[in-house]
């Protein structure tokens, strides 16, 4: 017969905290693609720079400045954008009977689901903010849909790279996120064409399935099944957080443990031209 020991509640609370944070770390698909900064304000501001490279202005050529003449003025502009912190969280209770008996591994399954639930809520919001931004680029298929034999996936990826490089010539790290339903089509194409596919355990990102044309391809269920989301990771957007994922455990002796996980943050799209949204199939 198992009984609660002195101090066991504190040990369990620490174990829950460590487990949820570790599990969530590997559950995030979209959050891993953005940079993370901290804030202490509910309402935040950031400035989005106009991305065109400065060129000749009327009567002020960058090339051929006359001797002694004034230099042409670089005309730059920024747009101020406001964002508000949002709260994400999930809670569940584990009955005392499930803590001292193990017919079903309720404790571990509950911890897993809490971590996955919070991570998916954050990822869903990040993806929604990205695709809703009016400044992102729209891609154009170079062949058939990705679930058709006429697909030209490598060319599509190369074309999206070129779209980004039109504005950011030095960009060199790229990620394309697709829905898991499209994974079989992409993997079939990769192996059929002899392109490089990553092997298990070698992916640089959670959910990575391959690296054709120098683009890391990830799967995430928060992406619309009909689209592919192409980004330059870490530089295109920021997750501004007031509080990183944290947990709290309340123990009611002989009744059970209540576990709560919570984090605060908001998505800010700083470089929308580093994003390409491509329709790859019809549902």
């Amino acid at each position: 017969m198992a009984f609660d020991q002195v101090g066991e509640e504190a040990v369990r609370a620490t174990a829950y905290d460590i487990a949820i944070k570790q599990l969530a770390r590997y559950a995030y698909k979209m959050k891993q693609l953005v940079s993370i900064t901290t804030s202490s304000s509910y309402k935040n501001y950031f400035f989005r720079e106009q991305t065109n490279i400065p060129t000749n202005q009327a009567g002020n050529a960058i090339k051929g400045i006359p001797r002694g003449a004034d230099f042409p003025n670089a005309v730059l502009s920024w747009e101020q954008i406001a964002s508000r912190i949002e709260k994400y969280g999930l809670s569940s209770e584990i009955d005392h009977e499930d803590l001292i008996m193990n017919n079903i591994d309720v404790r571990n399954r509950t911890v897993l689901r809490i971590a996955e639930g919070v991570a998916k809520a954050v990822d869903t919001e990040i993806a929604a903010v990205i695709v809703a931004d009016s400044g992102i680029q729209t891609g154009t298929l170079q062949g058939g849909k990705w679930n058709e034999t006429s697909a030209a996936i490598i060319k599509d990826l190369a074309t999206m790279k070129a779209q980004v490089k039109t504005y950011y010539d030095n960009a060199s790290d790229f990620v394309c996120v697709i829905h898991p339903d499209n994974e079989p089509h992409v993997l079939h194409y990769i192996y059929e064409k002899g392109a490089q596919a990553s092997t298990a355990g070698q992916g640089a990102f959670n959910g990575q399935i391959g690296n054709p044309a120098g683009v890391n391809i990830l799967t995430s269920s928060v992406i619309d099944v009909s689209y592919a989301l192409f980004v330059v990771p870490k530089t295109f957007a920021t997750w501004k957080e007031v509080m990183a994922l944290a947990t709290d455990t309340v123990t009611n002796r002989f009744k059970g443990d209540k576990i709560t996980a919570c984090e605060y943050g908001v998505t800010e799209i700083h470089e929308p031209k580093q994003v390409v949204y491509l329709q790859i199939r019809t549902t």
Side-chain angles (χ1 to χ4, degrees), residues 162-210:
Q163 283 185 253
V164 171
K165 286 189 172 184
T166 298
Y167 299 92
Y168 304 92
D169 188 49
N170 294 322
S172 59
D173 194 12
F174 304 96
V175 168
C176 183
V177 190
I178 60 173
H179 191 278
D181 284 358
N182 292 313
E183 179 177 347
H185 309 301
V186 173
L187 287 179
H188 174 75
Y189 186 93
I190 290 174
Y191 285 107
E192 184 181 50
K193 301 299 181 182
Q196 181 64 44
S198 64
T199 57
Q202 293 184 345
F205 298 94
N206 299 336
Q208 182 170 337
I209 63 170

Side-chain angles (χ1 to χ4, degrees), residues 50 52-63 71-77:
Q50 196 268 347
N52 291 335
I53 298 174
T55 56
N56 295 332
Q57 304 296 319
N60 290 285
I62 296 175
K63 174 186 175 182
F71 280 74
N73 183 47
V75 179
L76 307 177
S77 62

Side-chain angles (χ1 to χ4, degrees), residues 198-240:
S198 64
T199 57
Q202 293 184 345
F205 298 94
N206 299 336
Q208 182 170 337
I209 63 170
N211 184 251
V215 178
N216 297 299
I217 297 185
L218 322 182
T219 62
S220 173
S221 61
V222 304
I223 299 298
D224 191 307
V225 70
S226 298
Y227 288 85
L229 182 64
F230 187 94
V231 302
V232 179
K234 302 300 183 183
T235 60
F236 81 98
T238 294
W239 174 257
K240 184 168 286 186

Side-chain angles (χ1 to χ4, degrees), residues 141-153:
L141 282 175
Q142 303 303 302
K145 301 291 194 298
W146 284 18
N147 58 339
E148 298 174 348
T149 56
S150 58
I153 295 176

Side-chain angles (χ1 to χ4, degrees), residues 25-75:
R25 177 183 176 185
Y26 293 104
Y28 291 119
K29 300 291 185 66
M30 300 303 300
K31 189 178 178 182
Q32 67 179 334
L33 302 180
V34 302
S35 59
I36 298 177
T37 61
T38 59
S39 173
S40 59
S41 300
Y42 168 66
K43 188 174 183 180
N44 297 271
Y45 299 92
F46 68 98
F47 292 87
R48 181 184 292 171
E49 186 175 353
Q50 196 268 347
T51 54
N52 291 335
I53 298 174
T55 56
N56 295 332
Q57 304 296 319
N60 290 285
I62 296 175
K63 174 186 175 182
I65 301 173
R67 180 177 177 178
D70 292 334
F71 280 74
N73 183 47
V75 179

